[in-house]
Amino acid sequence: MTNTDPADDGPSTADGTSRPAGTPSQAAEGAGPATGVGSDAVGLEPAATKSADEDPDSPTDRQRRVRDRLERRAIATFAVGTTLVLLVLFYYPVATVFVDAVYVEGALTLSLFLDLLRDPFYFGDLARLFAGESPLAVVGDLLSADRRLGIVGFTAYQAVLSTLLSVALGLPAAYLLARYEFPGRRTLRSLTILPFVFPSIMVAVGFVATLGQNGTLNAALGVVGLGPVDLMFSLEAILIAHAFYNAPLIARVTVAAWESVDARAFETARSLGASPFRAFRDVVAPQLYPAVLMGSALTFVFTFGTFPIVLALGGFQLATVEVFVYQLIRELNYAEAAALAIVELAISLAVLYGYLRYEATHVVRSRGAQPLPRKRLVPPAFSARELLPRGGLAVYAVVALFVFVSPIASMVYTSLVGANGLTLEHYRFLLERQATGATFQIRPWPAVRNSLVFAAGALAISLPMGVVVSVLTTRRYRGRKLVDVIAMAPLAVSGIIVGIGLLRGPVFGVELAGWRFAVGGALAIVAAHAVSCYPFVVRTVAPGLESLDRSLLESARSLGASRVRVLVDVELPLVWPGVVAGAAFAVAISMGEFSSTVILATGTDQYTMPVAIERFMNRQLGPASAMGVVLLVVTSISFVIIDRLGGESFGI
């Protein structure tokens, strides 16, 4: 890179508006008659060759100064712009929900929160604690078989069980990927990113096709003379579906930690006489605990705020906070829904804050470490020591096929099977519905079109937002962690809360200076999608920016490049694959977003493919599966782009 701009804000200039040495003005100020010869030799030369560009009052020089000022302030300007967009699209809607909860009938009050805390329907036996009963008596009842959990307690209970099951299924996968070498290992590792891409309502359709009364599980059990079993609308179905999403997350973060373990430390422990088990316990395991804990915290947050899976597989009889908030909104009880959503938000933010604090002090770094050598999956000898772990992995493979593969395979199979065998009647149903469906009915093409349009709009907003936040959170300054927490808050806030806020605020209208401003449902849906997408852009781009060689950036700065030029000419080209992967993430997440969309699209023609799947699923599973396959194709394309360009750098 060459510096062609003398007025740049590089280190060579003191005030950012430098003037070349030996300009006529300097010669006039510093040269007297005694130095006239020198002035002729040095100072007059520029005057003789002075061009219009060097005239401080020339249009070209003015344009250059304006451009320099813009470059110096570009990052700050983008930061301010992103903050304003975040305030409008996220914090204002969330604040609207909060106001709905504390401003009732024209007066500020906390009565809704107090009523919630004291209501056993929401907090079970814990409500007695808030009502002033003895803590010992409450704890005793909570430990008994007759304990009451309430809606919030059940939500936390299923989140804890989901986290434990995810850890139980994720750790063997991490062990397999980190310690064994076999064909397809890299592909299998890449597939751990799929849960971030697959829409949850599509996965719910897959589990209905698997676990339903006429599902593939009962068909398989019938072949061997077992069953049938009915797991629909049960806690077990919810836990398995949550494990489908979150066990790969546990495996992903644990594999990264396992591969950062330095083999030399392990070999040193062995050379000092430690057995393989003790070397693992004292050297390897302590380096895995932080990753497992971080993955568990994220899993708890995700499953605590779950909505489509519980709605599809548990129904209202196993309602979590999110599902009950949705029911309150359908009953137009906005105030109580807002108060309950705020309680959920407080719990999620507390766990997320703890996770970020822990992450800050337990970052896994692999630079300079020599990973432990991997073993061959085929045993070199048929001894118990070699066969036992591989036998365990074989059993795990059967369980993994059921949990991770059967839902998707069952959905595709159900879309191609009718009463008389293989058929395309479900796809023909979609075409006929499109051709003959009434305007109030769900039709496929508007769902596909809306999904594509909303994804394009969300991409246009979330990608620049994500890049700017990535830049801000990878610079070194005081308060960076606070900025990171504020920017990543949408990860902890459910789409239900954002949807309620956008509905109660911009969609219903806001009065300013006697004018009422309102936006259409389509714009609100794009805003909700952008809010849910940009944190994933950040998590894809930021690791690349963080890992750049600082000496390269300092060299560009020493050559006179401004900060924005270093960003545009050096940093972004180096992390461009991550930016493209972030864009693919944004498209995939927008295409599958359901929680806020189902609130904002109710009663309108702004429904998307996930909403159409949910509507079809309530009536016929076949068309819902066919629609799910269409969504599967779209999201799979996004996965291929992410995997090829940025999957390894994904920061979660």
Side-chain angles (χ1 to χ4, degrees):
M1 172 179 299
T2 59
N3 179 25
T4 60
D5 191 348
D8 209 314
D9 68 337
S12 59
T13 61
D15 57 4
T17 56
S18 65
R19 180 179 293 166
T23 58
S25 59
Q26 286 177 310
E29 293 168 2
T35 57
V37 174
S39 297
D40 290 342
V42 179
L44 295 181
E45 178 63 23
T49 59
K50 174 180 164 182
S51 65
D53 289 348
E54 292 169 331
D55 183 354
D57 296 326
S58 68
T60 304
D61 195 71
R62 285 198 297 271
Q63 292 175 3
R64 181 182 299 165
R65 288 200 298 270
V66 171
R67 187 195 65 193
D68 294 339
R69 292 193 187 100
L70 290 176
E71 282 191 359
R72 282 195 295 272
R73 294 169 174 78
I75 293 179
T77 303
F78 282 126
V80 172
T82 300
T83 303
L84 292 176
V85 172
L86 196 57
L87 285 173
V88 172
L89 300 187
F90 176 70
Y91 281 102
Y92 170 68
V94 172
T96 301
V97 176
F98 183 77
V99 170
D100 276 346
V102 299
Y103 194 73
V104 181
E105 297 179 352
L108 286 174
T109 178
L110 294 177
S111 60
L112 281 175
F113 289 105
L114 294 176
D115 291 343
L116 283 180
L117 293 175
R118 295 167 181 164
D119 190 343
F121 178 77
Y122 290 114
F123 281 88
D125 286 325
L126 276 179
R128 294 160 46 205
L129 192 65
F130 298 120
E133 289 194 27
S134 167
L136 292 177
V138 172
V139 171
D141 288 343
L142 281 174
L143 296 176
S144 69
D146 298 328
R147 61 180 173 273
R148 293 178 299 170
L149 296 176
I151 294 288
V152 177
F154 173 75
T155 304
Y157 175 66
Q158 63 83 27
V160 170
L161 292 182
S162 298
T163 302
L164 293 175
L165 183 60
S166 300
V167 171
L169 289 175
L171 289 184
Y175 172 67
L176 174 67
L177 292 170
R179 299 296 298 123
Y180 289 91
E181 189 64 57
F182 53 91
R185 190 188 68 83
R186 289 179 60 84
T187 302
L188 190 60
R189 180 173 177 173
S190 298
L191 291 176
T192 58
I193 210 169
L194 270 179
F196 295 99
V197 179
F198 277 177
S200 52
I201 192 67
M202 185 193 78
V203 175
V205 170
F207 275 101
V208 172
T210 304
L211 305 177
Q213 191 68 33
N214 300 316
T216 53
L217 176 61
N218 280 332
L221 291 175
V223 171
V224 295
L226 299 176
V229 296
D230 187 7
L231 293 175
M232 284 302 300
F233 303 109
S234 68
L235 179 60
E236 290 81 1
I238 295 173
L239 299 183
I240 294 171
H242 283 167
F244 172 92
Y245 264 102
N246 296 289
L249 168 66
I250 300 288
R252 188 173 183 83
V253 296
T254 307
V255 168
W258 214 319
E259 291 179 342
S260 70
V261 174
D262 196 340
R264 291 168 295 190
F266 184 84
E267 292 165 357
T268 301
R270 292 281 289 140
S271 66
L272 293 174
S275 65
F277 174 75
R278 182 164 184 180
F280 173 84
R281 187 192 66 185
D282 295 343
V283 177
V284 179
Q287 300 185 55
L288 302 185
Y289 295 151
V292 176
L293 193 56
M294 285 189 288
S296 301
L298 282 176
T299 299
F300 180 87
V301 171
F302 291 156
T303 54
F304 190 78
T306 184
F307 174 53
I309 286 177
V310 176
L311 183 65
L313 302 178
F316 288 104
Q317 61 266 39
L318 290 175
T320 57
V321 171
E322 289 272 305
V323 175
F324 201 75
V325 167
Y326 177 60
Q327 182 173 337
L328 290 172
I329 294 171
R330 294 174 64 182
E331 297 170 354
L332 305 182
N333 189 350
Y334 293 113
E336 191 167 336
L340 191 57
I342 292 298
V343 170
E344 180 204 14
L345 176 62
I347 296 173
S348 296
L349 284 180
V351 176
L352 184 65
Y353 178 75
Y355 155 68
L356 290 174
R357 292 272 301 177
Y358 190 80
E359 183 190 40
T361 55
H362 295 82
V363 177
V364 176
R365 298 189 185 282
S366 58
R367 185 172 297 176
Q370 295 180 3
L372 294 164
R374 296 191 184 90
K375 309 172 188 175
R376 292 173 53 198
L377 194 56
V378 178
F382 292 96
S383 62
R385 182 177 175 180
E386 297 290 343
L387 291 177
L388 195 60
R390 290 170 174 81
L393 288 174
V395 174
Y396 172 75
V398 175
V399 177
L401 281 175
F402 171 70
V403 175
F404 302 115
V405 179
S406 66
I408 303 303
S410 297
M411 182 184 70
V412 176
Y413 175 75
T414 304
S415 74
L416 296 171
V417 173
N420 300 316
L422 291 176
T423 178
L424 294 175
E425 65 177 274
H426 303 309
Y427 293 92
R428 281 198 296 271
F429 171 86
L430 296 180
L431 295 176
E432 291 171 2
R433 171 60 67 88
Q434 177 60 38
T436 62
T439 54
F440 62 86
Q441 290 181 312
I442 297 289
R443 290 179 295 165
W445 170 240
V448 175
R449 180 197 61 205
N450 290 339
S451 293
L452 294 173
V453 171
F454 295 157
L459 176 64
I461 298 173
S462 63
L463 189 60
M465 278 182 68
V467 172
V468 171
V469 172
S470 300
V471 172
L472 294 177
T473 54
T474 52
R475 297 296 193 262
R476 287 170 174 74
Y477 55 90
R478 294 188 65 180
R480 184 181 69 159
K481 183 54 66 178
L482 179 62
V483 172
D484 194 17
V485 171
I486 293 173
M488 290 296 101
L491 276 178
V493 179
S494 73
I496 285 282
I497 294 179
V498 177
I500 299 173
L502 288 169
L503 184 68
R504 298 282 291 164
V507 175
F508 283 0
V510 180
E511 286 192 6
L512 286 175
W515 294 80
R516 189 170 189 81
F517 298 92
V519 301
L523 288 178
I525 293 173
V526 170
H529 287 196
V531 166
S532 63
C533 292
Y534 91 86
F536 290 87
V537 178
V538 176
R539 288 302 181 190
T540 309
V541 177
L545 290 174
E546 191 78 58
S547 63
L548 289 180
D549 189 349
R550 308 308 299 177
S551 62
L552 187 64
L553 310 182
E554 290 164 2
S555 298
R557 289 281 293 152
S558 67
L559 291 173
S562 64
R563 289 186 175 85
V564 70
R565 281 196 177 278
V566 172
L567 175 65
V568 173
D569 295 341
V570 179
E571 294 181 87
L572 288 183
L574 290 174
V575 301
W576 189 245
V579 175
V580 177
F585 255 119
V587 171
I589 291 170
S590 174
M591 297 286 284
E593 210 288 332
F594 177 77
S595 301
S596 60
T597 310
V598 73
I599 292 176
L600 296 168
T602 298
T604 72
D605 60 352
Q606 306 297 334
Y607 50 84
T608 58
M609 282 195 283
V611 176
I613 289 172
E614 194 265 344
R615 297 290 188 266
F616 285 137
M617 190 166 57
N618 290 335
R619 295 170 177 81
Q620 300 181 68
L621 185 58
S625 301
M627 199 76 190
V629 172
V630 175
L631 191 53
L632 174 65
V633 172
V634 175
T635 51
S636 296
I637 293 172
S638 300
F639 163 72
V640 171
I641 296 173
I642 294 167
D643 179 54
R644 296 292 181 184
L645 297 179
E648 291 294 326
S649 63
F650 187 45
I652 290 181

